[in-house]
Structures are given as C-alpha cells and as structure tokens.
Amino acid sequence: MERTTLRRIRQRKADNKIYLCAPVNALVEGIYEQNIPFSEIKKHGDFGLGTFNDLDGEMMMFDGLIYRIGSDGKANQITDDEICTPFSCVTFFQPSSEDELAKELSYEEFLNWLKELMPSPNLFYAFRIEGEFEYVKTRSVPKQENYRPLVEVAKEQPTFEFNNVKGTMAGFYTAAYMSSLSVPGVHLHFITEDLTSGGHLLECRPRKVNVELQYLYTLELSLPSNLDYLTWDFQRDIGKDLDKAEK
Amino acid sequence: MERTTLRRIRQRKADNKIYLCAPVNALVEGIYEQNIPFSEIKKHGDFGLGTFNDLDGEMMMFDGLIYRIGSDGKANQITDDEICTPFSCVTFFQPSSEDELAKELSYEEFLNWLKELMPSPNLFYAFRIEGEFEYVKTRSVPKQENYRPLVEVAKEQPTFEFNNVKGTMAGFYTAAYMSSLSVPGVHLHFITEDLTSGGHLLECRPRKVNVELQYLYTLELSLPSNLDYLTWDFQRDIGKDLDKAEK
C-alpha cells in the first residue's frame, strides 16, 4: 500500500489516544500470561510496542504490521492474530510534527533532542524514527517462567549490536508520575530496514534520521481480568525495578 | 423519570469505563482552573464526583443530575453545562451487584464491608449507597486561590455533621498504585435525601443501606491542555498529600 494512502487511513482512525492492554506494573511483578490476543490490540492501534505471553520476544508494530524479535535478535512478522500479549502499548499513528536530524549525536544528546521536540513533559507521545544509525544496541529477553520478576529476567538479557545500520524505531514517552502504567521516559523498540533483526533499544548513535512525533492527549487503560492480576498484592517499587529492567 | 426507565437508559450507555477529566495529582499540586465544562463531563458519564474551578464546592452527580455542595454545606443542582471543573471522575452507572446492610456499623466496619464486596483490589469500582445513617460527617472546601496545594486548603476545611439522616452517597474505589490519577481507596460524596446538604464524606455510621456496586475494567484519562498542566514540574509526594487532604 502506498505511504500516502496509509497516511489517509491513519488520519481517519487517529484520535491521539494511547492504549495500554494492562498496566506495566503487572509485567514488572512477573505476570507474563495475560492471554490478550493481538486481534484485540489491533482494535486500538496500528503502531506501538510490547511483548508476548511468557515474555517470549520483543513486539514492535508499525503500519499495522506486527513483528516479534526473538531472544536470538531475529525479527519475524506475526500474522496470527490469536497470538497473545501480557503488555502492549499502541496508538493509531498520525504524526503531529516531523523533524530531521542530519548529524551524529551521542545517545544522551539524542534523548535530549527528543525531549526538546516534546512541547510538555506531561503528555504522552508516540515516536516513529527512521534513518541511518552509526550504532544501535538492543536486547531481547528469552522466554520466561511466569511470576519471575522482570528485574531478575533483565539481568540475563542477550544484547545485540549493529554498526552503520538503517532501520526504524517505534515507541512512546510517558511522564514519570504514570510509571505504574507504562515505562516512564522514552521507550523505543528497533528493527532493521530489511526487517530481519532488532530489539528493545538500549543505546544508539543516530547519523541521519527523520522523527515523526504524535502528541497523545488521552490514555485508555484496560485492566486485566485474569486471576493473577485480580489477586496480586502490588507492593513492589515499580519505578526502581523498571529503571533497572528497561535500561 | 421512572427508575426502571432510567436503568434501561444506563444499561444502553454503560461500558464499565471510569473517566477522569484530569489526573488528580494536578489538583493536589494546586491547579484549580482546568476550565473543563460539565457539557464535556456529561459525554463520559451520568454518575460520579469531583470539584469545581477554584475548588468552589464538592461535586456529586447521579441519574445524570449534577449537584454542588458549597462551603456552607448546602447543596444546589447545577443546570448550567458551561460551569467548569478541574477534576471530575464519572461513569455511566450500571450496577454489577447489589447488597443490603441492615445493622449499624462503625466507619471502619463499613469500609471493610465495602472492601469485602469488591472481588479484587486491582479494579476500579463505582459505589451508589442509599439509605439511613445514624451519623454522617462531611466537609466542603471554600473557594481557593489557584496554586495553593490541596493539603494546605484541607487544613481549614469546614465540616458538617448529620445525625439520623437519610441520603445518597456516590463515589469510586481506586487501587493504590494509581494514586497519581484518582483518589486511592474508597472516595465518596454524600447528599441528604431532600437534596439540600452534604459534602465530601469524612466519616459515617450506616444503619440500613443499599449498596449498588459497578465493576469498572477500563480507565479513560484525559490529559489537560492548559498551560499550568503542560508546564508543571510534578515532584510532590501525591500519596502522602492525598492521605491528609481527603481524610
């Protein structure tokens, strides 16, 4: 489908709402089987990120297509809508602004540049970043037993490095005061231009990239109805654990 | 309108969603002018609670009608949809369960009984409680200057006591991990049967009451777009302040 046609479809559907199929604190606690099929997720967005039941790979979605990046760093398109997720964050993507970066930046400079593009730290934003990177470092978690806290899992995560690579990043910004719901700060997943590998972004040095940024003014959060979630005693310091698990 | 007809209308509209027009942390910080008209709030519910611009009274809504309880404890129906709120929490009310209490309970016993009615501490619930009370204590805050933290305002709140009174309570339960979004625990507003007085509930001893409880599985949160919210540096310990301000 042509990019302009795609954009028109997006425009029709977009209502600048971020959708979470579960609060991220459930994932941080180690509830990895929420059994929410992607057929449900697709009703709420064509763009975003997340994970799979049993934490089996990193999820990335753009232009309505879903990719799974396994613990070997390899990416595959997921076409079975009945595959399930315990945590996904999506939107119907329609950029509010578009910016170009034409010089190499360190990861810290890159994050600061993204922050400058956001008119307020207290909204949600979706980012679609495409272009050339001097360096990209990602991770993808291996399939897990249910109930093992995310911070434990992240200690053993396989990481992957890419040099001089073209690709796409998709993700969101969340304000710190909502860290029990979604990963706070800028949270991005990456896939190479040939759609063969990627993962959860740990670090990068962009060289020449295009950033599309969507301002999101509404949050829709679904609360899981499975027994694990309903009976859980949420006491963990989510903010601290997420900081360790996502960086 | 007959109660059965009302119930049918509710049933049609109800999607068991809790709607917040702003996160409560903005109110706790002292942002009292969000200028959100009740015409907007009514699109998202016919039942709930909140406050008014400049914290000018306690708001309570049921059967689609909105009441303002002023700092003199007196209640008036609000019919002007252009009156504004900085924080309101509403739903289209449709009870999931109904229970009767036919003996006097202390406030602590009453709260414990309400907790027992909830199948999980990790969902949202709406409560509509009607009947006879041995005792009810409420507060209503006086109109405030913008930017004065809620915890300061609450220090000087006028309180009101009712003995042997009939009336209605409306409110919500929110899980502690979402205390930056909505008041955690059980949060109720009260109005007397003759609709003349009431306030934010501080204490009560129910004698014979009927409790309708709605399970809410989805949260919709609108983020304010006014400059105060967009530029605020949210650092305050919201949980601690709310505990002082709401009890």
Side-chain angles (χ1 to χ4, degrees):
Chain A
M1 206 183 304
E2 267 185 90
R3 180 100 187 196
T4 47
T5 316
L6 262 175
R7 198 165 292 214
R8 234 173 295 128
I9 292 172
R10 282 186 210 157
Q11 211 127 11
R12 228 176 19 239
K13 283 188 182 174
D15 50 4
N16 298 309
K17 182 185 279 191
I18 183 172
Y19 173 79
L20 296 165
C21 72
V24 78
N25 69 342
L27 197 75
V28 175
E29 296 275 0
I31 306 178
Y32 299 141
E33 293 181 358
Q34 299 276 17
N35 302 316
I36 303 156
F38 281 104
S39 55
E40 177 60 31
I41 302 300
K42 281 176 158 180
K43 290 178 193 165
H44 302 278
D46 57 10
F47 175 93
L49 50 70
T51 185
F52 296 86
N53 257 8
D54 302 308
L55 224 60
D56 193 14
E58 306 281 347
M59 188 280 276
M60 182 169 168
M61 188 193 225
F62 58 101
D63 297 336
L65 304 179
I66 299 171
Y67 299 90
R68 172 184 169 276
I69 297 132
S71 63
D72 55 359
K74 298 297 166 209
N76 284 292
Q77 195 189 322
I78 296 286
T79 52
D80 180 357
D81 275 357
E82 293 320 300
I83 286 183
C84 290
T85 175
F87 178 78
S88 286
C89 178
V90 298
T91 190
F92 287 105
F93 192 68
Q94 180 196 356
S96 317
S97 73
E98 198 166 341
D99 287 271
E100 264 196 33
L101 176 76
K103 63 171 177 176
E104 194 179 320
L105 294 184
S106 71
Y107 187 47
E108 201 188 327
E109 289 167 338
F110 175 61
L111 289 180
N112 285 335
W113 181 63
L114 293 184
K115 273 176 199 159
E116 279 166 26
L117 298 180
M118 298 187 271
S120 159
N122 300 326
L123 298 177
F124 288 99
Y125 302 90
F127 289 95
R128 179 176 173 144
I129 303 167
E130 281 188 57
E132 300 166 24
F133 298 84
E134 188 62 32
Y135 174 75
V136 175
K137 185 180 178 181
T138 66
R139 72 107 194 268
S140 182
V141 289
K143 190 173 175 175
Q144 289 301 317
E145 292 295 313
N146 215 347
Y147 311 130
R148 190 169 172 225
L150 190 65
V151 68
E152 295 296 317
V153 174
K155 280 180 191 163
E156 302 155 10
Q157 61 192 13
T159 60
F160 311 97
E161 292 182 298
F162 306 85
N163 290 291
N164 194 14
V165 66
K166 288 185 181 177
T168 300
M169 292 174 182
F172 298 90
Y173 167 85
T174 300
Y177 79 79
M178 286 188 272
S179 63
S180 60
L181 306 184
S182 180
V183 178
V186 173
H187 177 201
L188 297 167
H189 286 188
F190 172 73
I191 194 164
T192 53
E193 189 185 31
D194 61 7
L195 305 172
T196 58
S197 37
H200 168 105
L201 184 71
L202 294 176
E203 206 187 317
C204 72
R205 288 202 303 275
R207 199 163 56 202
K208 190 177 186 313
V209 296
N210 184 61
V211 175
E212 292 176 299
L213 177 64
Q214 180 180 11
Y215 310 168
L216 301 166
Y217 302 98
T218 308
L219 163 70
E220 186 172 336
L221 167 69
S222 282
L223 298 180
S225 53
N226 71 346
L227 204 61
D228 284 345
Y229 175 77
L230 295 177
T231 59
W232 204 269
D233 182 18
F234 288 98
Q235 299 288 352
R236 194 169 277 272
D237 183 341
I238 300 296
K240 216 177 83 192
D241 274 25
L242 265 177
D243 199 56
K244 282 189 197 161
E246 301 292 321
K247 281 179 182 167
Chain B
M1 205 181 306
E2 267 185 88
R3 180 101 184 194
T4 47
T5 316
L6 262 175
R7 201 166 290 215
R8 232 174 296 127
I9 292 173
R10 283 184 209 157
Q11 211 126 11
R12 228 178 19 239
K13 281 187 181 174
D15 51 3
N16 297 310
K17 182 185 279 191
I18 183 171
Y19 173 79
L20 295 165
C21 73
V24 78
N25 69 342
L27 197 75
V28 175
E29 296 275 0
I31 306 178
Y32 299 140
E33 293 179 358
Q34 299 278 17
N35 302 316
I36 303 155
F38 280 104
S39 55
E40 178 60 30
I41 302 299
K42 282 177 159 179
K43 291 179 193 163
H44 302 278
D46 57 11
F47 175 94
L49 49 69
T51 186
F52 296 85
N53 256 9
D54 302 310
L55 223 59
D56 193 12
E58 305 281 348
M59 187 280 275
M60 181 167 169
M61 187 193 226
F62 58 101
D63 299 336
L65 303 178
I66 299 172
Y67 300 89
R68 173 184 168 277
I69 297 133
S71 63
D72 55 0
K74 299 296 166 210
N76 284 292
Q77 195 188 320
I78 296 288
T79 51
D80 180 356
D81 276 357
E82 293 317 300
I83 286 184
C84 290
T85 176
F87 178 77
S88 287
C89 179
V90 297
T91 190
F92 286 106
F93 193 67
Q94 178 196 358
S96 317
S97 73
E98 197 165 340
D99 286 270
E100 264 195 33
L101 177 75
K103 63 172 179 177
E104 195 180 319
L105 294 184
S106 71
Y107 188 47
E108 201 188 328
E109 288 168 336
F110 174 61
L111 289 180
N112 285 335
W113 181 63
L114 294 183
K115 271 175 200 161
E116 279 166 26
L117 298 180
M118 299 187 271
S120 158
N122 301 325
L123 297 177
F124 287 101
Y125 302 90
F127 289 95
R128 179 177 174 143
I129 303 168
E130 280 188 59
E132 300 166 25
F133 298 84
E134 187 62 34
Y135 175 75
V136 174
K137 185 179 180 183
T138 65
R139 73 107 195 268
S140 182
V141 289
K143 190 172 176 176
Q144 290 302 317
E145 291 294 312
N146 215 348
Y147 311 131
R148 189 170 173 225
L150 190 64
V151 69
E152 295 296 318
V153 174
K155 279 180 193 163
E156 302 157 10
Q157 60 193 14
T159 60
F160 311 97
E161 292 182 296
F162 305 85
N163 290 292
N164 194 13
V165 67
K166 287 185 182 177
T168 299
M169 292 175 182
F172 297 91
Y173 167 86
T174 301
Y177 79 79
M178 287 190 272
S179 63
S180 61
L181 306 184
S182 180
V183 178
V186 173
H187 177 202
L188 297 168
H189 286 188
F190 172 73
I191 194 163
T192 53
E193 190 185 29
D194 62 5
L195 306 172
T196 58
S197 39
H200 168 104
L201 184 71
L202 293 176
E203 206 185 317
C204 72
R205 288 202 303 275
R207 198 164 53 201
K208 189 176 185 318
V209 296
N210 183 60
V211 176
E212 292 177 298
L213 178 63
Q214 179 180 14
Y215 309 167
L216 301 166
Y217 303 97
T218 307
L219 163 70
E220 185 171 334
L221 167 70
S222 282
L223 298 179
S225 53
N226 70 346
L227 203 62
D228 283 345
Y229 175 78
L230 295 176
T231 58
W232 204 269
D233 183 17
F234 288 98
Q235 299 286 352
R236 193 169 279 270
D237 183 340
I238 300 298
K240 214 176 84 193
D241 274 25
L242 266 178
D243 199 55
K244 282 189 199 159
E246 302 291 322
K247 283 180 182 169

